[in-house]
Amino acid sequence: MSENFELHAQLAKDSIWLADWPLCQLRLINDSNYPWFILVPRRANIRDVIDLSDEEQAQLWQESAKLSRLLRQKFSPEKLNLAALGNMVPQLHLHHVARFSSDAAWPSPIWGKVAAIPYTEQQLVVLLNEWSVA
Amino acid sequence: MSENFELHAQLAKDSIWLADWPLCQLRLINDSNYPWFILVPRRANIRDVIDLSDEEQAQLWQESAKLSRLLRQKFSPEKLNLAALGNMVPQLHLHHVARFSSDAAWPSPIWGKVAAIPYTEQQLVVLLNEWSVA
């Protein structure tokens, strides 16, 4: 199954690989407006969570909880936003965003709200170092 | 714990009780633009999924998968949207929305996109009958 996994071109363009966890790729969305990460199960032809097997779903939610705890530790957000939308990019990807009442989109959801501000190369080096060992 | 559960006033206003599942209240958002449901864990002081115990999280995702399968059966959506945002209403509630490329907000997320169109009383009677036995 996982042999056929191929990351959707749009996700490859919008985000940066951080780590491979047992089921998912952990990727950083290249938008410094928010600490914004996605988990992408390395399985082919998965659109919705329930397309995964029961075991894979349990693993997905464990990795989601791990990522959520890391976001709390690192950023102390006021709220975590968690979402699987995929109307534009149908490949299943689970958004995790650390939200603050001071952020650019608050209290709205972040999608389509303000233009992305890409990280600088220097910021990316730091983030990659930090997260590749998560 | 569950003794102290009280539904947030805004959720009570925006949605209609359909059923009590082992962990969550299943509620219908009163907006006929989309088949839009929420799961609200009957636990006090829960903001994020990871505030639930490991067992409760597993139960939440089982109920989420059950609801997702019911939405597929009943509506045959092109995409399921799944989200825990809670920037405005901090009490944890998990959105499940059946999406269609013909719907009012497609391909955007639904939040804040178009004004809600409440169901008629007649529509509600049918929906309540259908879902109270889910």
Side-chain angles (χ1 to χ4, degrees), chain A residues 66 71 105:
Chain A
K66 176 182 172 180
L71 292 179

Side-chain angles (χ1 to χ4, degrees), chain A residues 47-48 50-51 57 61 65 68-69 72 78-87 90 99 106-109 111, chain B residues 47-48 50-51 57 61 65 68-69 72 78-87 90 99 106-109 111:
Chain A
R47 290 171 64 90
D48 292 307
I50 55 171
D51 295 329
Q57 288 181 47
W61 297 123
S68 296
R69 289 189 302 264
R72 270 217 185 142
E78 290 165 54
K79 194 73 187 63
L80 293 169
N81 284 183
L82 176 67
L85 304 174
N87 308 326
R99 299 298 308 272
W106 185 270
S108 297
W111 300 276
Chain B
R47 290 171 63 89
D48 292 306
I50 55 171
D51 294 330
Q57 289 180 46
W61 297 123
S68 297
R69 288 190 301 264
R72 269 216 186 144
E78 291 165 54
K79 195 72 186 67
L80 293 169
N81 283 182
L82 176 67
L85 304 173
N87 307 326
R99 298 298 307 273
W106 186 271
S108 297
W111 300 276

Side-chain angles (χ1 to χ4, degrees), chain B residues 34-96:
Chain B
Y34 326 92
W36 180 1
F37 300 78
I38 55 172
L39 288 173
V40 188
R42 295 193 307 281
R43 295 289 180 272
N45 304 317
I46 301 291
R47 290 171 63 89
D48 292 306
V49 172
I50 55 171
D51 294 330
L52 295 167
S53 72
D54 289 352
E55 293 71 25
E56 289 167 338
Q57 289 180 46
Q59 181 64 32
L60 173 67
W61 297 123
Q62 280 186 28
E63 295 180 13
S64 169
K66 176 183 171 177
L67 177 53
S68 297
R69 288 190 301 264
L70 284 169
L71 292 180
R72 269 216 186 144
Q73 262 172 40
K74 286 176 189 278
F75 302 105
S76 302
E78 291 165 54
K79 195 72 186 67
L80 293 169
N81 283 182
L82 176 67
L85 304 173
N87 307 326
M88 303 207 202
V89 175
Q91 182 176 59
L92 178 63
H93 55 290
L94 197 57
H95 297 274
H96 290 73

Side-chain angles (χ1 to χ4, degrees), chain A residues 10-29:
Chain A
Q10 191 64 45
L11 296 182
K13 188 171 164 251
D14 295 343
S15 66
I16 295 145
W17 180 92
L18 290 179
D20 273 342
W21 286 357
L23 178 64
C24 298
Q25 270 193 17
L26 169 64
R27 303 182 65 91
L28 172 73
I29 298 281

